[in-house]
Amino acid sequence: MPLPKAELHLHIEGTLEPELAFALAARNGVTLPYADTEELRKAYEFADLQSFLNLYYGLMAVLRTEDDFADLADAYLARAAAQGVRHAEIFFDPQAHLARGVGMGTVVAGLGRALDRSEAVHGVSTQLIMCFLRDESAGSAMETLEAAKPYLAPRGPIIGVGLDSAEVGHPPAKFAEVYGAAAALGLRRVAHAGEEGPPAYITEALDVLGAERIDHGLRCMEDPELVDRLVRDRVPLTLCPLSNVRLRAVDVLAEHPLPKMLDAGLLCTVNSDDPAYFGGYAGDNFRAVREALGLSPERLRELARNSFVASFLEHDEERRARYIAEVEAYEFR
Ligand code: ADE
Ligand code: ZN
């Protein structure tokens, strides 16, 4: 039995496996610029975040109908469950679909269908977070929030907002207004910061956007005062070790700062980001850090506990306590 964990940094579009991409392409009459899954997989050599994003947005062309989004999420939840994920807070990128003529209603209805039955089918509780693309305008983000209004919790499945896509040159402050509007609507707030961008983007995400969790946050280690603040305020960081290697944020996994970050007292979690592209799901990331960084069973338990502490389960503290009890009772073999 795998260690129970929550997945807090997962782009549903990044779970599109080559086999499903080709199946959806055939179903929707979309021609992909790759002969087969093998040729597609060979293209998964990334120099940086942008080179990944180009392929990631391109492959989304196969996602067109409500069924496509339901099938995508269902496949992810089955894989996640098999790797011990008990709770998933799932990101999606509405602007990437709206730009292709796929409506918010189609995307949310499809994802929502898979999420609604997830607990019964996979034993995984779920929440949905919509991300704004930071390389699009602030106005576009505000229009996206407006389009999402019928689908916001408690009426709909969307419980929060995030910020993703190309980081450098797109500081968080650009999105101050839309994050203010999201907060006024009662939405939770997270933001990618300090993946490729400088530590100052992390500070800005906290101060200007009111971010409650930082996605990645790796580069906080360059600023000791920021580390002190993150430790003091117990700000969760959703790290994605395999992603960091594949997008060259770190050279090799053995040099990942995760052990130093835990030693510093940071509230770190381990997640998969875009598992279909980066070589593994949540459990694979846990196994990778155990093997490459020699993390002890107690460190792994801490990471799993942190994932539930950092999750947005305030509406169901009983559930959070139950999940944490499962972590504490877990016996490592
Ligand atoms: N969108 C999907 N994955 C991402 C990542 N790792 N960073 C920024 N935007 C993303
Ligand atoms: Zn991400």
Side-chain angles (χ1 to χ4, degrees), residues 35 48 57 94 101 117 125 194 223 254 292 319 323:
D48 53 18
Y57 292 127
R117 63 187 178 213
S125 53
D223 179 347
R319 178 187 293 275
Y323 288 151

Side-chain angles (χ1 to χ4, degrees), residues 9 11 49 52-53 56-57 93 164-166 192 195 216 243 247 273-274 278:
H9 185 158
H11 303 265
L49 175 58
F52 156 69
L53 291 171
Y56 165 84
Y57 292 127
D93 285 334
D164 65 3
S165 202
H192 283 53
E195 179 186 19
H216 294 295
S243 164
L247 300 186
D273 208 3
D274 301 285
F278 301 150

